[in-house]
Amino acid sequence: MIRDQTAKLRDMMSEQHNLQVRYFGLRVRRLVGVALLLLALSLSQLEAAKPNVVFIVCDDLNTHVSTSGYEHIQTPNFDKLAAAGMNFKRAYCQYPVCGPSRASFLSGLYPESTKVLNNKLDIRKTNREAMSIPQAFKEAGYWTAGTGKIFHNKKADHGDTAWSEPAQWFDNDPMPLELAAIKKFEEEVGPVKGNRKKLKEFMWHYAPQLRNQKTGYGPSGLTDNQHKDGKNATQVEKWLDEKAYGEKPFFIAVGIHKPHVPFLAPDKYFDLYPQEGLVLDPVSKEFWDQAPKSAGTKRYKTFGFEEYVENDALRREYVQAYHACTTFIDAQIGRVLDAIERNGHWENTIIVLTSDHGYLLGDKFMWGKVMLFELGTKVPLLVRVPKDSPVGATTPGSSTEALVELVDLFPTFAQLCDLPAPSDLQGVSLVPLLKDPSAQGKEYAYTVVSSGKKGLGRAIRTKDWRYSQWPDGEELYDLKNDPKENINLAKSKDDQAQLEKMRLLIKKAEAKATTSNN
C-alpha cells in the first residue's frame, strides 16, 4: 500500500517536473524568439540608418562655376549645395583626361597604380585587384544605380559588379537642324545609307551644332528633357519617386555629360550669355617663349584656331556655348536635389558634386584638356553630409582652402558610410576636413598626364607653388602672386632653392603614387 502511494507520488512529482521543464523551455524559446526578433529589428534599423549617397560627376567641367569664385556664370544649384555643405576650393584631379581620371578616383588609386594612362585602357585589365566605389557600396548591402557617364563609356562600365541594375545610358533626341540637314543631303546627294562619310562632311559644313564630338557647339533647338542630361535627371527622379531601392540604403551615381563637346544646350541657356558681354582673359604669345612646348597641345587646330593667333569672335562663340552648357547642367542638378528633398531624403543623404577634370577655353591659346595648368586640373568639389550622419553634419556654407585630390573620394565614402574599404587605397579621407574646415590638408596635390611617346608630364601643387616636369623642360609658378600662371620661374636665379625643393617633393609624390597604403 505504502509502496503504491510512493509510486503515485513519484509519478506526480515527475509529471510536475516535466510540466515545469516544458513551461521553462517554452519561456526560453519565447525569450529567444523575442531576442531574435529584436535583433532582426535592430539590424534592420541599423541598415536603415545607413546614409544614402548621391554622387554627381560632371564631364570636362572647369572652375567656371559660381562656387569657385567665377562671377560670370549662373550656377544657382551649385550655390544651393555649397550653402548646405562644404566647398573644397582647392581640389585637383589626378589626370586631366576622362578615362584615366575616372579610373583613378573610382578606385582610390593614382594613375600610375591603375596603369590607365589613356582613354583606351581598362582598369579591369591593367589592375585586376582594384575595386570601384559603386562595387564597395553594393558589397556592403546598398542598392546601387548609375545613369550617364560614371565609368568612361559603356564598354568600360563595370556592369553587375558595380550596379544593382543595369547602368542607364541615354542619347539626345535628334535636333531639328540635324533632321533638316539629312533631308537636304538626301535631296542633293542621295540616300544616307552607303554615304555616311559624305554625310559627315556635309553635316560639318551645314551647321556648327552638327560637328559632334570634335568641336560641335550652339543652341540645340531641344528642350531640357530631350538632352541626355535631362534624361539622366528624369531617371534619378524616377528611382527616388518609385522607391526602386526598396528597403535598402541607396548609392546613386549621376554622370553628367556636359559641358563635354559638343557644346550643345537648349536655346534659352545661350540667351543668358550674350557674346559681347563675355569676359575673357587676354593671351600672350610671349608665354610660350618661357614654357616647355610639351605643356601645351595642338588641339586648338580642331577648334579652328591658328597657332598663337587670337580669334576673338570665334573664342566668344565657344565660351558662350560652354557657359550655356554649364548653366544647363546646373538646372539638371537642381532637379536631382529637388527629388532628394521631396522624397524625404534630404536629412539622410550624402551628396557629392565634382568634375573629372578641368578645361582650357583659349587661355594661353590652348583649348581642351591634357594639360597641367590650374584651369585644366582644378575641379569644383562640394560635399554635403546631413545632420543624421554617424560622423556628424558638415557645417552649412563652410569652405576650405586645404589641398585635396579626387583620389580622396573613395576613402571619404568609406569612412562616412562605414564601408569595408580595400586596404590599398592611396587617397586620404576628407572627413577630418568636413568636421573642421580649418584642419590641415595635404602637403601637395599630384597630377600626371601623358606627353605622347615621350612619357608622363608631372605636376605638383603646394599651398603657394605649382611645379611641373616635362620631357623638354620645367615649370615653376608662384600661385600666391601669379594665380593664372603667367610667369615661369623655373630659370629664375632667385627661385632656385624653391625649384630644388619642388623637385624633391615631386619625387616623393611619384614614389607614393606607385605604392599601396599611402
Side-chain angles (χ1 to χ4, degrees):
M1 179 90 178
I2 295 174
R3 191 179 296 115
D4 292 341
Q5 290 178 342
T6 302
K8 287 181 179 180
L9 181 61
R10 187 185 300 115
D11 290 341
M12 290 173 63
M13 292 177 65
S14 176
E15 181 64 23
Q16 185 178 9
H17 174 72
N18 289 338
L19 287 171
Q20 289 175 338
V21 169
R22 286 198 297 272
Y23 176 70
F24 179 74
L26 180 61
R27 288 192 66 189
V28 169
R29 287 195 294 275
R30 283 179 178 174
L31 288 171
V32 170
V34 170
L36 289 173
L37 179 60
L38 289 173
L39 178 61
L41 288 172
S42 177
L43 289 173
S44 176
Q45 290 171 351
L46 181 63
E47 186 76 5
K50 282 191 173 182
N52 303 309
V53 176
V54 173
F55 182 31
I56 306 170
V57 183
C58 302
D59 196 353
D60 286 13
L61 177 65
N62 63 18
T63 49
H64 280 204
V65 291
S66 54
T67 51
S68 295
Y70 189 76
E71 300 175 352
H72 315 296
I73 196 81
Q74 296 182 39
T75 48
N77 290 294
F78 274 72
D79 291 334
K80 175 181 177 178
L81 187 55
M86 176 174 283
N87 183 2
F88 289 84
K89 293 188 173 181
R90 296 201 67 191
Y92 293 89
C93 72
Q94 275 49 78
Y95 198 113
V97 177
C98 302
S101 177
R102 291 164 187 267
S104 174
F105 68 71
L106 286 172
S107 67
L109 303 174
Y110 288 99
E112 286 151 293
S113 287
T114 67
K115 297 180 174 57
V116 177
L117 300 173
N118 61 51
N119 275 339
K120 296 180 181 180
L121 296 173
D122 188 333
I123 193 172
R124 291 171 295 181
K125 295 179 180 179
T126 61
N127 187 334
R128 297 178 184 275
E129 301 301 317
M131 175 184 283
S132 71
I133 290 173
Q135 179 184 348
F137 274 100
K138 185 179 180 183
E139 292 186 2
Y142 275 70
W143 179 85
T144 60
T147 183
K149 185 176 176 180
I150 302 300
F151 295 98
H152 179 52
N153 52 34
K154 292 181 182 179
K155 186 177 179 180
D157 191 278
H158 288 204
D160 293 343
T161 303
W163 310 116
S164 298
E165 61 177 63
Q168 302 297 304
W169 293 80
F170 299 102
D171 292 315
N172 287 0
D173 288 356
M175 291 183 289
L177 262 173
E178 183 180 0
L179 297 176
I182 290 174
K183 182 179 179 180
K184 187 172 183 179
F185 178 83
E186 290 176 333
E187 292 172 351
E188 295 182 4
V189 180
V192 170
K193 187 176 181 180
N195 287 305
R196 290 289 176 184
K197 188 175 181 180
K198 289 183 179 180
L199 176 63
K200 186 176 180 180
E201 184 178 351
F202 183 87
M203 292 283 200
W204 181 274
H205 295 287
Y206 188 87
Q209 288 94 325
L210 305 180
R211 293 174 187 171
N212 200 14
Q213 281 290 332
K214 291 192 178 290
T215 57
Y217 66 94
S220 65
L222 302 174
T223 66
D224 287 29
N225 286 336
Q226 290 178 300
H227 278 260
K228 60 179 72 175
D229 284 325
K231 296 177 184 182
N232 286 330
T234 299
Q235 180 63 69
V236 176
E237 291 173 331
K238 183 178 180 181
W239 281 330
L240 294 178
D241 292 343
E242 297 179 359
K243 296 179 172 50
Y245 46 87
E247 298 300 319
K248 292 184 176 183
F250 58 77
F251 170 86
I252 296 177
V254 190
I256 301 294
H257 291 271
K258 293 299 164 209
H260 192 289
V261 290
F263 300 153
L264 302 174
D267 302 33
K268 61 184 178 182
Y269 297 103
F270 282 77
D271 295 339
L272 297 174
Y273 303 104
Q275 292 179 18
E276 62 275 11
L278 296 173
V279 178
L280 307 178
D281 286 338
V283 290
S284 169
K285 180 181 177 182
E286 284 69 37
F287 172 82
W288 291 104
D289 294 334
Q290 52 161 4
K293 293 297 182 286
S294 294
T297 73
K298 299 289 186 181
R299 194 144 194 261
Y300 57 82
K301 295 181 179 179
T302 307
F303 283 80
F305 292 89
E306 297 179 42
E307 187 173 26
Y308 306 141
V309 176
E310 177 67 303
N311 182 333
D312 183 76
L314 183 57
R315 187 181 180 193
R316 289 178 182 277
E317 289 184 21
Y318 281 121
V319 173
Q320 178 196 41
Y322 187 91
H323 287 180
C325 288
T326 301
T327 300
F328 162 64
I329 63 170
D330 178 85
Q332 311 321 304
I333 291 167
R335 291 174 58 194
V336 172
L337 300 182
D338 289 345
I340 295 170
E341 285 189 277
R342 73 167 176 267
N343 281 281
H345 291 302
W346 190 251
E347 294 305 337
N348 66 352
T349 300
I350 295 165
I351 306 170
V352 176
L353 169 59
T354 192
S355 172
D356 53 3
H357 52 75
Y359 206 85
L360 272 72
L361 296 166
D363 309 84
K364 299 177 171 55
F365 296 103
M366 295 292 113
W367 287 88
K369 41 204 171 184
V370 203
M371 288 171 279
L372 296 176
F373 297 106
E374 283 280 290
L375 199 56
T377 58
K378 195 176 184 182
V379 295
L381 176 59
L382 305 174
V383 179
R384 191 259 179 179
V385 181
K387 64 182 181 181
D388 291 346
S389 167
V391 302
T394 45
T395 301
S398 57
S399 65
T400 177
E401 296 282 350
L403 290 166
V404 300
E405 301 173 300
L406 290 186
V407 77
D408 299 329
L409 292 176
F410 199 154
T412 303
F413 282 131
Q415 185 172 356
L416 287 174
C417 302
D418 195 24
L419 303 182
S423 60
D424 62 348
L425 295 183
Q426 294 174 321
V428 176
S429 174
L430 302 177
V431 169
L433 285 166
L434 292 172
K435 291 181 177 180
D436 178 9
S438 64
Q440 185 68 36
K442 287 188 163 181
E443 182 183 12
Y444 58 79
Y446 180 59
T447 308
V448 300
V449 71
S450 177
S451 182
K453 297 180 180 179
K454 299 178 181 179
L456 290 178
R458 293 181 170 87
I460 194 162
R461 287 166 176 81
T462 61
K463 179 182 177 183
D464 295 326
W465 296 86
R466 193 262 282 190
Y467 169 70
S468 294
Q469 286 181 343
W470 297 97
D472 58 341
E474 298 173 290
E475 294 176 279
L476 179 67
Y477 300 99
D478 179 350
L479 297 179
K480 184 176 181 179
N481 297 305
D482 180 24
K484 293 187 177 180
E485 303 169 301
N486 289 319
I487 303 173
N488 182 10
L489 300 173
K491 295 181 180 179
S492 166
K493 293 181 179 179
D494 295 335
D495 295 289
Q496 290 305 298
Q498 183 64 40
L499 181 68
E500 187 57 35
K501 179 181 178 181
M502 300 299 282
R503 285 171 176 166
L504 294 173
L505 199 56
I506 206 167
K507 287 182 180 179
K508 177 181 176 182
E510 183 181 355
K512 282 192 173 184
T514 56
T515 305
S516 298
N517 299 313
N518 287 263

